[in-house]
Amino acid sequence: MTFDPIGRARRWNDRWRPIVPILVAEFMAVVGFGALLPVLPLYVVEQGVDTTTLGIILAAWPAARLVFEPIFGWLADRTSRRGLMLGGLVLLTVSTLLPLAFHGPLELFILRFVSGLAVSMYDPAARGTIVDETKEDERGEAFGLYSSAQMGGFIFGPVIGALGAAAVGSFAFAFVAAGVGCVVAAVYLAVAFHPRVTRARLATDARTTARRAPLTKGSYAELGPGSPEVAQRVIEASRLEPPTQAPLRDLWNRPFVAALIMNFGIYFAIGVYEVVWALYLQGLGGSVEWIGLTYVLFALPVVFLAPLGGRLVDRHGATPYIIVGGLAVATCGFLYAVAWEPLLPGGIIVIEGAAEAFMGPALYAVVAIGTPVGLASTAQGIYGSAGTVAFIVSSLAAGWLFSIDERYPFVFFALVVIAATVTFWIITRGVRLTAEQTVTLEGVPT
């Protein structure tokens, strides 16, 4: 068999062309987000903020997502996803740069809240687009690519933020780098993203045109030669069935509820990391450069393994990958609690990244399985909010627990992840979560 990398790349691009702009924009946005991760807690503490208040400030981001992500998810299923994504990236750029000028506790809290609102505009629309632009039997792999793009950003972002801040002697470098990443993502998405016109979207757009322009749905001639494109779209609308959309109550089904609970557990761990990870490694003797490198060590397994994990999920079902991955993450939490020097957590986090590479695409696939027709972004918004509830609780608790003992936050999140994993297993027992699943009105998979 002839090795043809150019041909393979072309075939890959042909297959995934509708979502490539989402993947590239996600990569650049996460480069910006990742640039802040190693330095944001240190920057806030440098302003004279204690660790308990730090937890409150960082909890503003998930608090905004909790409130707004379901709302913007609902809007994304009914309006322009492209507009929401671009608006979210622009707002995120502004709220990322302003902490350099406004750095009191209240101002930082407000700006983190606005950042969360901006992400709430972007994320449900982006993930809903991936669901709608892919087939049922390839969504695991599609979200594997999405996870890979995210973690690719985490490879470069924390290194850029940490090394840049160390080189110039100021944490301000990371905020500027984060703003640049968001700007590049917005510009690329504006130029490259052109969603496909589906049959349902064509019908919706054409009927909207018909309401705004009182034209007769008869022959082409009756609609007038001056507006041939409008006339043709209205005629096509008269031949299409009205697009259907399931009621919100149909989201109450076993796959979707189980995914919400598991996402709660995973985001509980993420909330702990954002608040105390840099302080934890610093306390063990780690440098700012090492703190940034640990994010890279987490991201590398996800970048290389997530697409493979997605393909395996599409073929064999999601349940084993979620359960084993959850238990692996919990085990890592316990190991962090007993670390006595800064290098050991770097090895542990590689294992955690490998678990996330399989668990992340599996969870997104389960959400897609449990999503009724026409509610892709709405489901993604609710799914994200389940994680932000955990993020809020863990952010508030992590700072307080860390002030008592630096090991307690990691033990706490490990116990929560175990509870979420066991609950997921109970809910999905006897259910094979594959792309062939459908969800009935009563919520019982068939």
Side-chain angles (χ1 to χ4, degrees):
M1 183 177 179
T2 305
F3 180 62
D4 183 14
I6 296 177
R8 291 185 63 181
R10 185 179 294 113
R11 288 190 295 272
W12 185 93
N13 184 67
D14 290 342
R15 181 183 180 189
W16 300 111
R17 181 182 290 114
I19 67 170
V20 166
I22 301 292
L23 302 179
V24 175
E26 187 71 21
F27 170 80
M28 289 308 307
V30 175
V31 166
F33 179 79
L36 285 179
L37 285 178
V39 305
L40 182 58
L42 304 177
Y43 175 80
V44 174
V45 171
E46 189 181 68
Q47 311 308 313
V49 176
D50 60 81
T51 57
T52 301
T53 306
L54 168 65
I56 296 173
I57 291 172
L58 297 184
W61 185 81
R65 295 193 67 174
L66 174 64
V67 175
F68 291 105
E69 200 159 357
I71 296 173
F72 284 115
W74 183 85
L75 286 174
D77 284 325
R78 292 159 175 80
T79 185
S80 169
R81 287 175 176 163
R82 183 174 183 271
L84 285 173
M85 286 189 284
L86 291 175
L89 289 172
V90 170
L91 186 60
L92 184 60
T93 302
V94 175
S95 61
T96 297
L97 294 173
L98 285 181
L100 295 176
F102 304 95
H103 37 70
L106 179 60
E107 292 95 327
L108 290 172
F109 177 87
I110 293 172
L111 290 172
R112 287 299 291 171
F113 188 88
V114 174
S115 293
L117 186 153
V119 174
S120 298
M121 295 174 65
Y122 176 84
D123 271 359
R127 296 197 302 266
T129 298
I130 293 175
V131 172
D132 283 351
E133 295 282 354
T134 54
K135 300 175 183 178
E136 290 184 4
D137 60 354
E138 65 182 12
R139 284 175 184 153
E141 185 174 356
F143 278 109
L145 294 169
Y146 178 76
S147 297
S148 183
Q150 283 184 320
M151 291 303 117
F154 274 115
I155 288 177
F156 293 98
V159 171
I160 291 171
L163 296 183
V168 304
S170 172
F171 293 136
F173 178 90
F175 289 87
V176 175
V180 170
C182 294
V183 169
V184 172
V187 171
Y188 178 81
L189 197 67
V191 172
F193 180 57
H194 303 287
R196 293 183 298 187
V197 180
T198 62
R199 191 171 185 269
R201 179 61 60 85
L202 178 61
T204 301
D205 291 348
R207 287 189 176 86
T208 300
T209 302
R211 287 195 300 269
R212 292 176 179 174
L215 301 173
T216 304
K217 294 182 181 179
S219 66
Y220 179 90
E222 289 174 342
L223 293 171
S227 305
E229 183 178 353
V230 172
Q232 184 61 33
R233 290 173 70 85
V234 174
I235 291 172
E236 290 174 350
S238 66
R239 301 171 183 167
L240 297 175
E241 295 295 328
T244 59
Q245 186 175 67
L248 284 174
R249 66 176 179 272
D250 282 10
L251 283 170
W252 184 255
N253 60 75
R254 289 167 63 188
F256 188 68
V257 172
L260 296 184
I261 293 171
M262 194 64 206
N263 197 40
F264 179 93
I266 297 305
Y267 264 83
F268 207 95
I270 293 173
V272 168
Y273 288 135
E274 176 146 345
V275 175
V276 305
W277 182 253
L279 300 174
Y280 160 73
L281 287 179
Q282 189 180 59
L284 292 177
S287 64
V288 174
E289 293 86 346
W290 174 243
I291 293 170
L293 183 59
T294 58
Y295 289 99
V296 177
L297 294 175
F298 174 81
L300 279 172
V302 181
V303 170
F304 292 107
L305 296 178
L308 170 63
R311 286 196 295 272
L312 293 174
V313 168
D314 288 333
R315 294 174 186 174
H316 307 297
T319 301
Y321 299 101
I322 293 173
I323 292 175
V324 173
L327 294 177
V329 169
T331 301
C332 290
F334 290 124
L335 292 176
Y336 292 134
V338 300
W340 63 91
E341 52 83 37
L343 295 180
L344 180 58
I348 299 169
I349 206 167
V350 172
I351 299 172
E352 187 175 1
E356 174 63 28
F358 291 89
M359 184 170 51
L363 276 172
Y364 281 124
V366 173
V367 173
I369 290 168
T371 298
V373 63
L375 296 176
S377 290
T378 302
Q380 293 293 336
I382 296 173
Y383 176 73
S385 289
T388 58
V389 171
F391 200 112
I392 293 168
V393 175
S394 61
S395 295
L396 294 173
W400 173 69
L401 289 170
F402 189 85
S403 66
I404 300 173
D405 190 304
E406 65 182 20
R407 297 169 296 179
Y408 286 178
F410 299 101
V411 174
F412 191 31
F413 94 63
L415 294 174
V416 172
V417 171
I418 289 175
T421 304
V422 171
T423 304
F424 178 92
W425 174 72
I426 292 172
I427 293 176
T428 59
R429 283 188 67 184
V431 177
R432 179 174 169 81
L433 298 176
T434 63
E436 289 75 25
Q437 293 275 58
T438 58
V439 178
T440 67
L441 184 62
E442 291 77 16
V444 179
T446 58

